[in-house]
Amino acid sequence: MNDTVALITGAARGIGLATAALFNAEGRRIVMLDRDTDELTEAAATLPGALAITCDVSSPQQVAQAIAEVEQTYGRLDILVNNAGVADFGPLAETDFSRWRRVMETNLDGVFLMSQACLALLSARGGAIVNIASISGLRASTLRIAYGTSKAAVIHLTKQQAAELGEVGIRANCVCPGPVDTKLALAVHSPEIRAAYHDAIPLNRYGTEREIADVICFLASERASYVTGQVVASDGGFDATGVGLPALRG
Ligand code: NAD
């Protein structure tokens, strides 16, 4: 296990950092990618031996450079976690094309570009891709015109990857987190949204970064060696329930 290399995008904080820490504790070598150099440098300093690379996953040139650096440093890649994401909650009428593109270029283009760039390294020994979508990709909701659509596309992209890459020994799975108190969520979850989530979630609370990281690391590991093309919601039961839970609780 100690030779294996796991690359995590958006690893400077939040779910990505928790995932990097867990892989690190498992004894894997880790590559942390993020476009925020300062936060990335600080985060990587807490994880011994981590390779930190500043990279915007929406830039084909930066992605190619980053993967060339991974190849030069380690000569292999076993796990890719496409976690980098941005959230922007707004209605259709107010989502102009630049807002739409800002969400799509990271959440969807980034997953496509990173997966494609890592293909040769991953297929050399067989590997695993874990893409991070969201419960907003599993069901439609107000204000998620761009974010929800980007995440639904990531769910389908995962299935496309599983269908195509199984024969070269690459598994692809998707994790859909429910709400987690990260910088991303704090920026878009108003008090009303927070109350609504508590109401709608059977476990009646937000998840933690570590609870999402545990599912990501399981899907990436040998313990999930016969699992591919799957979408796992780590969401306190949110996706399992429909209309009426708050009323029934009352
Ligand atoms: P976060 O904002 O704490 O961390 C995201 C990281 O990604 C940041 O370090 C940021 O700099 C980086 N990043 C953003 N765009 C990038 C780009 N183009 N290139 C490289 N790095 C980039 O967010 P988080 O809550 O930890 O989110 C992680 C993933 O989980 C995202 O894909 C998000 O959509 C998803 N998610 C989060 C929640 C939640 O409630 N927090 C819920 C569902 C899904």
Side-chain angles (χ1 to χ4, degrees), residues 11 46 59 67-68 73 120 151 174 177:
T46 65
S59 158
I67 304 313
T73 309
K151 294 301 189 179
C174 185

Side-chain angles (χ1 to χ4, degrees), residues 57-79:
V57 297
S58 70
S59 158
Q61 294 77 17
Q62 290 186 35
V63 166
Q65 266 170 20
I67 304 313
E69 188 175 339
V70 174
E71 185 166 16
Q72 236 170 25
T73 309
Y74 293 124
R76 68 183 284 173
L77 182 65
D78 302 273
I79 294 165

Side-chain angles (χ1 to χ4, degrees), residues 9-16 33-36 39 55-58 82-86 105-107 132-135 147 151 176-185 189 206 209:
T9 70
R13 62 177 193 235
I15 293 166
L33 249 70
D34 207 287
R35 66 179 172 189
D36 185 334
E39 217 166 355
C55 171
D56 184 330
V57 297
S58 70
N82 284 309
N83 164 78
V86 296
E105 69 184 11
T106 290
N107 293 8
I132 312 309
S134 168
I135 50 170
Y147 184 73
K151 294 301 189 179
C176 290
V180 178
D181 264 332
T182 62
K183 209 163 173 179
L184 174 143
H189 291 185
Y206 274 44
E209 289 96 330

Side-chain angles (χ1 to χ4, degrees), residues 7 66 74 94 96 111 146 166 222 232 248:
L7 187 161
Y74 293 124
E94 288 167 23
D96 63 22
V111 178
E222 272 301 300
V232 180
L248 288 170

